[in-house]
Amino acid sequence: MKIAVAGASGRAGSEITKELSRRGHTVTAIARNPEKIAKLTGVTAVKGDVLDQAGLTSLWTGHDVAVSSVHFLASDPLKLIGAAKASKVGRYVVVGGAGSLEVAPGVKLVTTPGFPAQYKAEAEKGGAFLDLLRQEKELNWTFLSPSALFVEGERTGKFRLGTDQLLADANGKSWITFADYAIALADEIERPAHQRARFTVGY
């Protein structure tokens, strides 16, 4: 497949790009500083700005899938959604956040007392992005939320999937590595199971 990844030089974006390359996809890796993108088989690094809707539309046009792996506070969901629609990509996949996941019925992680204050604005904007996607009538979107801790670590291929509830391991820790998250996202691209839906991945 032809897949465009916006934010390909970031921690999640770089692992997603690597995973898609490993699987033989043709990837357009987009970043403000494309020289930071690793040289990989099937990957073309290009300069792009997610705040430039027209430019992003042009870069995404002709792809089967567009992946958005950018910080919510450093982007505009209306421009991203607009570019996804105007480019007529087959699917739009968003690297989501954990803050909008539920820890109890109707209780989002971002609203809990222990949620780190420095991440609250980012998490709230991610939740607003998801709300916008859920109102979309024509765009074929998927929003993949990581677990609470989104960290560097090994690629194990062993994880669980969920829907709107925060996942935690047997010790109560909610976490996923960027590498395993990338596997879950690539799996979803290749075998769609959550179209026009949010899902989550964790151990």
Side-chain angles (χ1 to χ4, degrees):
M1 273 189 270
K2 286 188 69 178
I3 303 167
V5 181
S9 63
R11 292 188 297 173
S14 59
E15 288 295 338
I16 291 163
T17 301
K18 193 187 303 180
E19 185 66 31
L20 294 172
S21 169
R22 180 185 276 125
R23 297 180 186 216
H25 296 290
T26 300
V27 181
T28 300
I30 303 163
R32 279 176 299 188
N33 299 296
E35 65 277 3
K36 293 182 179 178
I37 296 167
K39 289 176 171 53
L40 298 164
T41 303
V43 174
T44 302
V46 299
K47 184 177 179 66
D49 181 352
V50 294
L51 290 171
D52 175 6
Q53 184 174 331
L56 198 58
T57 298
S58 178
L59 289 173
W60 282 353
T61 297
H63 291 84
D64 301 302
V65 181
V67 177
S68 175
S69 179
V70 294
H71 289 291
F72 301 122
L73 290 174
S75 58
D76 180 343
L78 291 173
K79 289 183 177 180
L80 290 166
I81 291 169
K85 288 161 76 171
S87 64
K88 295 183 165 53
V89 289
R91 289 188 77 191
Y92 177 48
V93 181
V94 177
V95 175
S100 57
L101 291 165
E102 292 187 345
V103 293
V107 181
K108 293 178 182 176
L109 177 63
V110 70
T111 67
T112 59
F115 194 87
Q118 67 267 35
Y119 299 130
K120 194 157 189 175
E122 177 78 9
E124 287 174 343
K125 193 158 182 200
F129 194 166
L130 177 58
D131 290 341
L132 280 173
L133 287 170
R134 284 175 165 159
Q135 293 166 30
E136 274 300 318
K137 298 291 187 284
E138 45 192 281
L139 188 63
N140 184 9
W141 61 272
T142 297
F143 189 99
L144 175 52
S145 289
S147 289
L149 300 175
F150 201 12
V151 296
E152 303 286 351
E154 63 180 318
R155 179 182 185 272
T156 70
K158 297 174 183 174
F159 47 77
R160 293 180 297 142
L161 301 180
T163 52
D164 291 316
Q165 288 73 43
L166 186 74
L167 296 173
D169 64 15
N171 299 314
K173 182 179 178 182
S174 175
W175 66 299
I176 190 70
T177 63
F178 294 111
D180 278 341
Y181 176 96
I183 294 176
L185 187 139
D187 285 349
E188 175 65 27
I189 286 173
E190 293 178 345
R191 297 185 300 278
H194 303 89
Q195 297 187 81
R196 295 188 174 84
R198 184 259 290 276
F199 74 114
T200 187
V201 58
Y203 298 122

